[in-house]
Amino acid sequence: MDSIAEFLKQFGALGLFVHSMIDAIFFPIPAFFTQVSLSMIDPQAALQLATVGFIGCLLGTPVGYGIGRLSGKVLLHKFLKKKWVDSATAMFGKNGEAAVMIGAFTPIPFKVFTILSGGLNFPLWKLMVYAAIGRAAKFYIVGSLFYMYGRAAEGMVKQVSMYVFLIAVPVLLIGLFVKRKLANRAKAKGAAGGKATVAAQASHSEEA
């Protein structure tokens, strides 16, 4: 796998595109490493590389999802570490949207989340939306650092990614929690309104 990753680097942006695509499908080495290596070579092209990687990831995401629909967890347990699969499954059990968002930042390979989404029948459109937000943040944070600070950004990338994870993930979780609470409250009001209407209609019928 290391040899394949090194081979892809030789093709520059095209190699990053392919790596990002297969990263969302089956390849165990994250495209992050190819992005960093290529950005080190040409920091001025870092944002273009981020865009290429982002597009490749989005194109690979529905393919990983389709594999999940066909094979489910069997393929994951066969080719990936059990701890990755178990952690991602636990995240999906609590909140699928949060799992995808967190998965975009964690060291757990992203294909675990794309395949699990298919295996657990998580809506594809939701996977695409939350994957786009999370992966865009990851690719463009790295790209922006190299574009602004050049090769000196190599030492910053991991630290900044960690800080973004520590700040962004709690904010996202709070946002999803508030969204769910508001949805439940609206549903409860709707149900209460429906019962009141039924009661009024029954009362009117009795009077008639």
Side-chain angles (χ1 to χ4, degrees):
M1 293 300 177
D2 287 333
S3 298
I4 294 173
E6 288 297 324
F7 174 74
L8 290 173
K9 288 178 189 176
Q10 299 176 29
F11 295 91
L14 177 60
L16 175 59
F17 176 82
V18 174
H19 192 166
S20 298
M21 184 182 292
I22 61 177
D23 178 25
I25 303 172
F26 67 89
F27 200 62
I29 300 176
F32 167 83
F33 296 105
T34 297
Q35 182 189 8
V36 169
S37 296
L38 295 177
S39 298
M40 283 283 293
I41 295 171
D42 187 4
Q44 291 303 306
L47 291 177
Q48 290 93 323
L49 289 169
T51 302
V52 168
F54 174 63
I55 293 172
C57 178
L58 285 190
L59 291 177
T61 295
V63 179
Y65 181 88
I67 291 173
R69 290 297 298 268
L70 293 174
S71 60
K73 295 182 182 179
V74 176
L75 191 65
L76 287 173
H77 282 292
K78 188 173 183 180
F79 292 104
L80 296 170
K81 293 180 180 179
K82 184 177 183 297
K83 65 177 182 179
W84 288 342
V85 180
D86 291 343
S87 295
T89 303
M91 290 182 196
F92 266 100
K94 295 178 181 177
N95 191 316
E97 292 91 342
V100 176
M101 292 293 288
I102 294 172
F105 291 95
T106 62
I108 300 173
F110 193 60
K111 83 278 299 158
V112 174
F113 295 90
T114 61
I115 295 174
L116 260 185
S117 296
L120 298 175
N121 293 318
F122 185 72
L124 177 59
W125 72 268
K126 283 189 177 183
L127 172 65
M128 295 300 295
V129 168
Y130 289 105
I133 296 171
R135 299 304 274 179
K138 183 104 182 242
F139 277 108
Y140 283 104
I141 286 171
V142 174
S144 297
L145 285 173
F146 275 102
Y147 184 78
M148 292 187 292
Y149 298 103
R151 293 180 177 85
E154 183 183 16
M156 306 177 190
V157 169
K158 289 185 179 180
Q159 284 188 328
V160 171
S161 296
M162 181 185 70
Y163 289 135
V164 169
F165 176 78
L166 293 175
I167 295 171
V169 170
V171 170
L172 291 168
L173 290 176
I174 292 170
L176 289 170
F177 176 77
V178 171
K179 179 184 174 184
R180 177 169 292 183
K181 281 289 185 182
L182 292 174
N184 290 338
R185 185 176 298 175
K187 189 182 294 184
K189 285 184 179 179
K195 288 180 180 178
T197 301
V198 171
Q201 289 175 346
S203 176
H204 180 72
S205 298
E206 290 176 0
E207 291 175 0

